[in-house]
Structure formats: C-alpha cells, structure tokens
Amino acid sequence: MPDHTAATDELAYDRRRLRQYLAGEARADGVERRTLLKLLAAAGGAAGLGLGAAAPATAAGPGIVKPLPAELFTVRGTNAESRTASWQGAGFHTPLDRFFVRNHTSTPLLDQGNWRLKVWGSGLRHGKASEFGLDDLRRLPAVTTEALVECAGNGRSYFTTQQGEAVSGTAWGLGAIGSARWRGVRLRDVLHRAGISRDAVDVQPRGLDAEYTTADGANLGRVRRPLPVAKALGDVLLAYEMNGEPLPADHGHPVRVLVPSWVGIASIKWVGDIEVSDTPLYSPWNTDFYRLYGAAHPPAGSAPLTRQTVKSAFELDHGAAFPAGRSHTLTGRSWSGAGGIASVEVSTDGGATWRRARLHDSARAHNWVRWSLRWRPERPGDTHLLARATDTRGRTQPDRTVHNTQGYLFDAVVRHPVRVVEGG
Ligand SMILES: Nc1nc2c(c(=O)[nH]1)N[C@H]1C(S)=C(S)[C@@H](COP(=O)(O)O)O[C@H]1N2
Ligand SMILES: [Mo]
C-alpha cells in the first residue's frame, strides 16, 4: 500500500524528501543546490551556515485590480493590507472589497473561457497528462468550505515594533487575513480523474502570474509550492467562487487552490497547472521561504510551514481615540490554525488586569470568532489594549514570539496603542 497517511507529519516527511534528494530521487528546479545542501546538513544533524534568504522584490506600485481606498487598505509594495477597523460590523466573512491581497508580482487578467488546468507528471498512471476547463470543473461535485486565508507573515511588523527584532519581508500589521465562503471542487476529485498513481508523493500547483524575481535579480520562476500527497487528497479545494461570486481577479480568477488553516502561500492563485510527482519536489517557497530560520531554530531552518498560529486583532486603527468617562464597546476577532477559539481575554490597562470578552461566534476550525467587551476609560492619556486568545487545543497566545529572520508566524499578544481623550 502507498504510504499516504504518514505524510501529513511534515517534519518526518521533509526528512524523507531530503534523503531522497540525496539519493538522486528528488527534483528541485529553481532551488539552489547550496540551499538543499544546507537543509541536508541540518537534517543530518551537522551544523549549517546562516542562510541568506532572498528578499522579496519591491515594485513601483501595486498591480492590484480592485480599488484600494485608504479607509479599507494600507498598500505595502505589491500587496494591500486590510484595515482591521474596516471589519467592524462588516459581517463574519470579509467583504471582497476589503479582503487583503498578497501578490508576488501583479494580478494577471485571465479569461475564464480560455483557462485550462493541466495536470501532469510522473505521479500519474502511464505518465499521461490531462486538461480541465472551468466547465469540466463545474460538472464535478461542488463543495463549499468556510475558511480563512492568512499570510504566514501576518503580524510581522510587531517583531520589530514590539520585540525590537529585525526581520525581512512585508511589514504587515494584523490585516493580512480574510475569511470567505469558498465554493469549488475537491482537488482530490480532479487528481483521481487525472489518474493519480499510488506512487505519487508530491502535488505542486503553479500560478499563471508572472515569474518572480528577487531584489538581487534571481528569477525563481512562477509561484509554486509542493503539497504532500496526503494533504492534496484531504481537505484542499480548487475554488472558483468566493462569497457567492466568481473568484475576483486579485484572488485568483478563475480558479485558485484553497488549503484551509495552512499558511496563505499554500493557496496558489490563478492555478494553471498541477504537477503530480512520484519523486519529492522542492520550490523556493518550501526551502528558502516559509521555514523558520534564526538563532532559536535548526541551522538550516525548520520544516516547511503548514498550520497557522493563534492571533487576535482589535477592529481599530492604531491610535484610535476614546472619550473618557463614557462607555465604549471594543470589538475584535481571534483565530487559530489548529482549531477554533475557546476563549478571549482583554486587558484595557496595558496588561495589568484581564477580563473575558463575550464571544459572538461558536468555535469552528479554519474560522475566526468575533468578540466584544465594554470599556469605560476614566482618565485621558495614552494606553494599550491587549487581547489574548486560547484555542480549542489549549494553546494561548504568548507574551513574546520566538524570533525568526523572515518574521513568520507571529503569535504574541499585540499591544494596541489607543488614546483616551477628554470626554466632551
Ligand atoms: N499564483 C500566486 N499564488 C499566490 C500568491 C502569489 O503571489 N501568486 N501569493 C500567496 C500568498 S503569500 C498569500 S498570503 C495568498 C494571499 O491570498 P489573497 O491575495 O487572495 O488574499 O496567496 C498565495 N497564493
Ligand atoms: Mo503570504
């Protein structure tokens, strides 16, 4: 029998992949041999060298199609961060007009009539490729999944502003996340139709957006990242609708991959082909990027990132003003990649005392909960609001996140600055 189930343990799986690479059984197009050798050194327990990960390219302006009004977004290079204040009263799912956009290059304009998905590779029976149009996908059973998409770097700026640590990458606040109702087909159904063989080990979707070139000029090719076959045959969707509408251009029109609870990079937008391989695959997005590097991590990095951490955000801008001597309702959202949220505590005095927030949604995996708390500040002055969530697995947000050079998976309690002003 093929060993599909064991492969969800990404660390063990990664070690196996590395051994296969060493044995000449794995392919790593676009990954420098130097990088792989460092990973191999680490897997073998040898001391490695610090890894100089490529910095993301910066472009002149965002190649994003939808309007980016300042009340909804903060533009960061090729990306647009959703303002958490714009989530207040906006419903459980993030309206499409304020859903964050993370683009390595820019949004391609694809015609759904001409779009084809090619499924190919050594992991198909007889090595025979197949093609699917959007109509072909629509004829397969439709599935709806409610799930967050969150960038692995969400909250990255707090490594610097709160912990005084240097990190590379887009300086997101907490708005590199959105929730949607996704409709599409199971990737599993497409892989079975394409004739996935029992020998398949990796499934690598690739986007149709432009090839990505780093700041130092290295062309890494099209955005792509392998999924272990066990995950690809699990809860992964090929989504063609978002909140009841055809997938918008910026979010992957006409079809994107949706991997619930995993780091956003797994959810490849504008998918054009999927390689099914009987040998392990590497891409820069599971080697140089999306691993934890730094003093507290293995010399050549952690296993590739999969699940997201626990976070909480107030639906407020930094520096929001509250009149003293009056009662206010503070609102926010908390979420976890490891399950639903069980409880949220809030401090309005910089962390000295904590009260339980009222939760407005039930705990559900892949989704956030909205919460609220009454607050009556007595005296004018600057203060910090803090929110600390615990998920259904019992994981609570820590006071500090262990540093990693690329600023991934920030999960510490954020100190949100606000001003209490003279009540009029
Ligand atoms: N083809 C392609 N897919 C991609 C990306 C990209 O640049 N190109 N960015 C990834 C990253 S890093 C994230 S966080 C999510 C963002 O999804 P969104 O822009 O729909 O919010 O898409 C992922 N899929
Ligand atoms: Mo991301």
Side-chain angles (χ1 to χ4, degrees):
M1 280 298 289
D3 184 19
H4 283 173
T5 45
T8 39
D9 177 348
E10 184 75 358
L11 186 60
Y13 176 72
D14 189 45
R15 292 223 174 88
R16 195 157 69 237
R17 249 199 209 124
L18 288 165
R19 279 200 302 273
Q20 284 171 292
Y21 175 77
L22 194 59
E25 294 166 1
R27 281 205 4 254
D29 303 337
V31 182
E32 287 195 28
R33 196 177 158 74
R34 188 171 50 97
T35 302
L36 268 297
L37 291 175
K38 280 174 189 160
L39 295 174
L40 288 167
L49 303 163
L51 185 72
T58 47
I64 294 173
V65 170
K66 68 183 172 186
L68 303 173
E71 66 273 19
L72 299 183
F73 290 105
T74 306
V75 174
R76 303 190 187 281
T78 56
N79 316 296
E81 175 170 356
S82 184
R83 278 176 69 172
T84 63
S86 79
W87 303 347
Q88 191 167 26
F92 183 76
H93 294 304
T94 312
L96 301 181
D97 69 350
R98 63 204 67 186
F99 203 103
F100 87 105
V101 181
R102 163 53 174 137
N103 282 351
H104 282 72
T105 60
S106 57
T107 296
L109 294 175
L110 304 178
D111 171 11
Q112 64 173 56
N114 297 333
W115 177 84
R116 310 289 292 168
L117 174 67
K118 187 176 176 194
V119 183
W120 60 283
S122 58
L124 297 180
R125 283 198 295 275
H126 317 299
K128 203 172 155 292
S130 23
E131 282 200 3
F132 300 81
L134 191 56
D135 290 344
D136 300 322
L137 295 192
R138 286 188 178 280
R139 276 193 286 272
L140 295 176
V143 185
T144 299
T145 298
E146 296 186 284
L148 303 162
V149 169
E150 182 186 16
C151 188
N154 195 24
R156 177 182 285 129
S157 65
Y158 297 104
F159 277 104
T160 311
T161 60
Q162 195 162 293
Q163 303 192 168
E165 294 165 332
V167 288
S168 62
T170 304
W172 301 109
L174 287 168
I177 184 166
S179 155
R181 208 171 68 249
W182 309 91
R183 190 159 178 271
V185 298
R186 291 188 186 87
L187 175 57
R188 183 204 313 164
D189 290 348
V190 170
L191 293 175
H192 282 143
R193 275 214 169 42
I196 187 169
S197 84
R198 311 161 79 208
D199 303 324
V201 294
D202 271 339
V203 174
Q204 178 162 265
R206 181 163 55 167
L208 289 165
D209 41 339
E211 297 183 340
Y212 175 63
T213 302
T214 63
D216 40 4
N219 183 343
L220 303 184
R222 293 184 191 272
V223 178
R224 63 199 185 282
R225 188 182 201 245
L227 287 167
V229 71
K231 185 64 182 174
L233 296 175
D235 60 356
V236 179
L237 284 198
L238 289 172
Y240 47 68
E241 273 180 26
M242 187 176 180
N243 292 348
E245 301 202 22
L247 207 57
D250 297 309
H251 300 290
H253 184 86
V255 177
R256 82 176 299 168
V257 178
L258 189 268
V259 186
S261 287
W262 280 31
V263 288
I265 186 62
S267 294
I268 296 293
K269 302 192 278 189
W270 313 294
V271 59
D273 72 283
I274 299 176
E275 177 176 3
V276 182
S277 176
D278 66 1
T279 60
L281 299 175
Y282 284 94
S283 96
W285 289 271
N286 72 338
T287 53
D288 280 345
F289 303 129
Y290 302 103
R291 289 178 187 247
L292 305 179
Y293 293 100
H297 301 288
S302 68
L305 303 182
T306 57
R307 286 183 183 278
Q308 282 286 2
T309 48
V310 193
K311 291 192 193 68
S312 301
F314 287 91
E315 295 174 338
L316 285 176
D317 289 326
H318 278 195
F322 293 89
R326 288 205 222 141
S327 191
H328 305 279
T329 301
L330 299 173
T331 65
R333 303 187 186 217
S334 299
W335 59 93
S336 164
I341 293 296
S343 65
V344 180
E345 302 158 282
V346 172
S347 173
T348 53
D349 54 11
T353 60
W354 296 83
R355 283 185 291 153
R356 275 210 169 207
R358 186 159 80 83
L359 304 189
H360 296 263
D361 301 295
S362 54
R364 278 193 297 150
H366 318 311
N367 286 280
W368 49 23
V369 297
R370 291 168 293 180
W371 45 258
S372 67
L373 185 105
R374 300 291 288 171
W375 180 40
R376 192 173 193 280
E378 296 307 329
R379 280 171 305 281
D382 292 347
T383 185
H384 285 99
L385 304 178
L386 288 74
R388 180 169 66 197
T390 299
D391 70 16
T392 48
R393 295 281 194 87
R395 288 196 312 174
T396 300
Q397 290 182 254
D399 294 336
R400 210 182 157 86
T401 301
V402 174
H403 176 254
N404 68 90
T405 57
Q406 295 178 91
Y408 295 130
L409 302 186
F410 189 85
D411 65 346
V413 175
V414 167
R415 300 175 64 83
H416 188 114
V418 294
R419 293 178 301 133
V420 179
V421 297
E422 222 46 81

